[in-house]
Amino acid sequence: MARVYNFSAGPAVLPESVLKKAAGEMLEYRDSGMSVMEMSHRSPLFMDIMNETEELLVRLMNIPADYQVLFLQGGASLQFAMIPMNIMTANKTFDIIHTGAWTKNAIKEGEKLGKVNVLASSEDRMYAYIPSFENLKFNSNADYLHICYNNTIYGTKYNTLPDPGNTPIVADMSSCILSEDYDVSKYGIIFAGAQKNIGPAGVTIVIIKKDLMKRADKNLPSMLNFNVHAENRSLFNTPPTYAIYMSKLVFEWLRDMGGVKEIEKINRHKAALLYDYIDNSKLFKGNVDKEFRSLMNVTFSTGSKELDALFVKDAEKKSLTNLAGHKTAGGMRASIYNAMPVEGVQHLVEFMKKFEVEHA
Ligand code: PMP
């Protein structure tokens, strides 16, 4: 069967050349006589993979030297607990801007560990916007400000950052890391599950300013302590070795195509193809306010549940798959991560045009 255009929100499409390279190295990596999957995480060959993966990410994101990169497990979801455990000080409190399901989870976990101040929320309109920064009242004793930079489910994203003064910003970039050029030095922590723009599920990337790590209580369980992972260069226990190797291949692919600045141009082009069509369509409507539209997760609907369901079903027949919106949002969602080729989006727009003619 031919490969489809996979618009899944995650785990998501990977570059075909990466999958082919991995397939070619499946039985034997270099001259090792074994697959990366079968290799000790302490072997020199795997240590090289680990070091190269980190170096590639540092170069791609221009990560300053006073930041630590960690390859962890437990998904972005574990970070909703691990970050407050490590970064909350005696104040035991953090600020958050509530923009959807992923900040809801961060609030829920944070409240088990301390006090969470919800500075603003876009829940009143189904998270169709990012709240204005104008009236935000940052708490002077907040240990950090948590934001979700790109809202995977509802399809919004930040365009600028709030300015909480000396309070570090912790950003969940699970669904947008490496899609645009970010200035890492503006953040205290950036974290992301891999399964959208990085590689297969199983590895979580945490980029953390080193001075923040000093806050962690020494009595934290080892696996939950950023310092333990940093001291052991993410090899405190067996890391998700194959997911890390796949991430390395994706980073090489991104480097070879010109890096983040180049992919950002392509991402803007892909998103514009879809949004421009939606804006001119009489059938489809975008779900979120134009100003805050995500480059990665494009959400839209026809306004009719039946027609939306038919659209998703018919698209599937044309090898345009996983276009149903999240169950809490309804409608459609096209996730167009870095690895989604421009042709995939073009095919989707062509299909939408035909569907519109048939069902207007
Ligand atoms: N944050 C965001 C923005 C996400 O999109 C997701 C997963 N879709 C998560 C957190 C949770 O990630 P995980 O499943 O890796 O725990």
Side-chain angles (χ1 to χ4, degrees):
M1 185 191 160
R3 280 174 62 75
V4 296
Y5 289 114
N6 178 10
F7 293 93
S8 165
V13 56
L14 286 168
E16 201 167 302
S17 62
V18 164
L19 294 172
K20 283 186 176 145
K21 174 138 203 221
E25 292 176 340
M26 183 57 76
L27 292 180
E28 183 179 20
Y29 178 74
R30 306 228 165 130
D31 290 323
S32 66
M34 63 180 83
S35 161
V36 173
M37 253 183 270
E38 302 168 296
M39 212 172 264
S40 162
H41 59 298
R42 310 263 172 223
S43 63
L45 261 185
F46 185 74
M47 298 286 239
D48 284 349
I49 293 176
M50 193 85 184
N51 292 337
E52 284 166 29
T53 312
E54 183 177 333
E55 270 169 38
L56 281 157
L57 184 65
V58 166
R59 275 205 211 117
L60 283 168
M61 291 186 70
N62 211 359
I63 301 174
D66 55 340
Y67 282 73
Q68 177 78 45
V69 177
L70 298 173
F71 296 91
L72 305 180
Q73 298 185 68
S77 297
L78 181 59
Q79 293 312 310
F80 297 149
M82 202 165 164
I83 290 171
M85 279 178 176
N86 281 262
I87 309 302
M88 282 201 303
T89 61
N91 296 339
K92 289 223 171 301
T93 182
F94 68 89
D95 287 350
I96 191 164
I97 302 174
H98 179 35
T99 51
W102 301 113
T103 47
K104 190 169 263 175
N105 285 6
I107 294 166
K108 196 167 145 217
E109 293 304 289
E111 280 176 342
K112 295 176 188 167
L113 298 156
K115 184 171 179 300
V116 185
N117 316 300
V118 180
L119 301 186
S121 162
S122 52
E123 195 170 4
D124 59 337
R125 281 204 288 117
M126 271 285 268
Y127 307 109
Y129 63 101
I130 302 290
S132 155
F133 303 158
E134 257 170 47
N135 301 318
L136 295 181
K137 293 215 165 48
F138 301 109
N139 288 285
S140 55
N141 65 344
D143 290 317
Y144 59 89
L145 167 68
H146 181 117
I147 61 166
C148 178
Y149 202 93
N150 182 81
N151 195 311
T152 326
I153 293 178
Y154 297 95
T156 55
K157 86 167 187 80
Y158 285 74
N159 297 309
T160 53
L161 280 180
D163 180 8
N166 289 330
T167 306
I169 296 178
V170 169
D172 179 355
M173 289 204 178
S174 293
S175 48
C176 59
I177 193 165
L178 294 165
S179 68
E180 292 176 275
D181 196 21
Y182 300 115
D183 179 353
V184 175
S185 70
K186 292 198 170 134
Y187 300 84
I189 301 180
I190 290 172
F191 67 98
Q195 63 273 20
K196 299 159 202 304
N197 264 342
I198 296 174
V203 61
T204 308
I205 299 219
V206 177
I207 302 163
I208 176 168
K209 200 161 187 196
K210 285 179 185 164
D211 65 0
L212 284 179
M213 294 196 322
K214 293 188 196 127
R215 294 184 182 181
D217 180 346
K218 288 193 178 55
N219 291 322
L220 278 175
S222 305
M223 280 297 285
L224 298 175
N225 188 330
F226 286 140
N227 291 298
V228 171
H229 291 289
E231 280 152 20
N232 291 280
R233 301 213 56 196
S234 303
L235 288 161
F236 171 69
N237 73 324
T238 317
T241 51
Y242 199 74
I244 291 170
Y245 155 77
M246 287 295 292
S247 306
K248 173 178 170 273
L249 298 188
V250 173
F251 294 161
E252 284 170 348
W253 167 81
L254 188 51
R255 175 200 60 196
D256 295 346
M257 69 182 303
V260 174
K261 287 207 168 98
E262 201 50 42
I263 201 83
E264 177 174 342
K265 280 188 217 153
I266 300 171
N267 286 335
R268 290 191 183 281
H269 171 60
K270 287 188 302 191
L273 283 176
L274 260 172
Y275 288 127
D276 287 350
Y277 170 64
I278 289 168
D279 287 343
N280 289 309
S281 163
K282 291 198 170 57
L283 182 66
F284 299 103
K285 283 205 173 41
N287 292 2
V288 306
D289 294 1
K290 281 188 188 170
E291 197 185 339
F292 303 111
R293 283 169 159 176
S294 167
L295 294 177
M296 298 282 100
N297 310 99
V298 178
T299 56
F300 56 98
S301 73
T302 63
S304 147
K305 268 190 186 164
E306 292 72 35
L307 213 49
D308 286 351
L310 185 68
F311 176 85
V312 170
K313 203 170 131 215
D314 284 359
E316 196 81 41
K317 289 184 201 148
K318 300 279 179 216
S319 298
L320 302 163
T321 70
N322 289 318
L323 281 162
H326 188 269
K327 59 182 185 301
T328 57
M332 277 76 78
R333 170 178 53 179
S335 295
I336 50 173
Y337 296 120
N338 286 356
M340 170 58 66
V342 176
E343 305 83 77
V345 179
Q346 286 166 338
H347 276 92
L348 175 58
V349 171
E350 284 314 306
F351 175 74
M352 289 168 80
K353 283 183 186 164
K354 271 202 201 121
F355 191 87
E356 176 159 359
V357 170
E358 284 161 21
H359 299 278

